[in-house]
Amino acid sequence: MAVIVPTIVDISGNQKTYQVTWAAMANGDTGAPIQAQFIGYSDRVIAVTGTFGAGGNMRCQGSLDGGTVYHTLKDAFGTAINLTAAGIASITEVTQFVRPNITAGDGTTALTVTLQMTRNEARRGG
């Protein structure tokens, strides 16, 4: 039950798109949340890869109260983001804090979670 600190990389080279990676997450681990400095990055997708183990699950969570209470975020179809196999999901809500939470798995669970965030003006060429 560790808090995993992510690496944050500006993959656009101009502060328009960032990639955040939490590596080697085990069952019970949470990611240190991405905070308010990224609130303007409203185009967000999250992906997970690795070994899920028995019943492994990555839940994408967000908070609006300074990181005290977290809620499960939803994808574009209104479905809670709980990935039980390698995959990717868009995140509908733009919250002050975002983090992954590994809510299930076993001793073999070892997941890498990647969040990509883009500022809206990057799509429009601005």
Side-chain angles (χ1 to χ4, degrees):
M1 299 182 92
V3 176
I4 307 301
V5 176
T7 58
I8 303 172
V9 177
D10 176 358
I11 62 172
S12 63
N14 59 10
Q15 299 180 333
K16 291 186 179 182
T17 302
Y18 283 89
Q19 194 166 73
V20 181
T21 303
W22 295 268
M25 297 189 75
N27 182 22
D29 288 350
T30 57
I34 296 304
Q35 299 183 21
Q37 71 266 31
F38 293 107
I39 197 73
Y41 294 79
S42 58
D43 291 340
R44 300 178 181 186
V45 294
I46 194 160
V48 63
T49 59
T51 302
F52 282 78
N57 182 70
M58 186 284 299
R59 178 173 296 156
C60 183
Q61 297 179 317
S63 174
L64 292 175
D65 66 356
T68 302
V69 177
Y70 282 87
H71 302 277
T72 303
L73 298 177
K74 295 178 180 71
D75 66 16
F77 301 103
T79 304
I81 300 174
N82 283 292
L83 297 177
T84 58
I88 189 168
S90 61
I91 302 172
T92 303
E93 300 93 351
V94 179
T95 55
Q96 181 183 13
F97 295 88
V98 177
R99 73 176 187 188
N101 185 356
I102 310 306
T103 61
D106 61 19
T108 66
T109 301
L111 300 174
T112 297
V113 179
T114 304
L115 172 69
Q116 185 169 302
M117 304 175 295
T118 302
R119 287 194 301 201
N120 276 335
E121 68 268 15
R123 284 188 303 168
R124 295 187 300 266

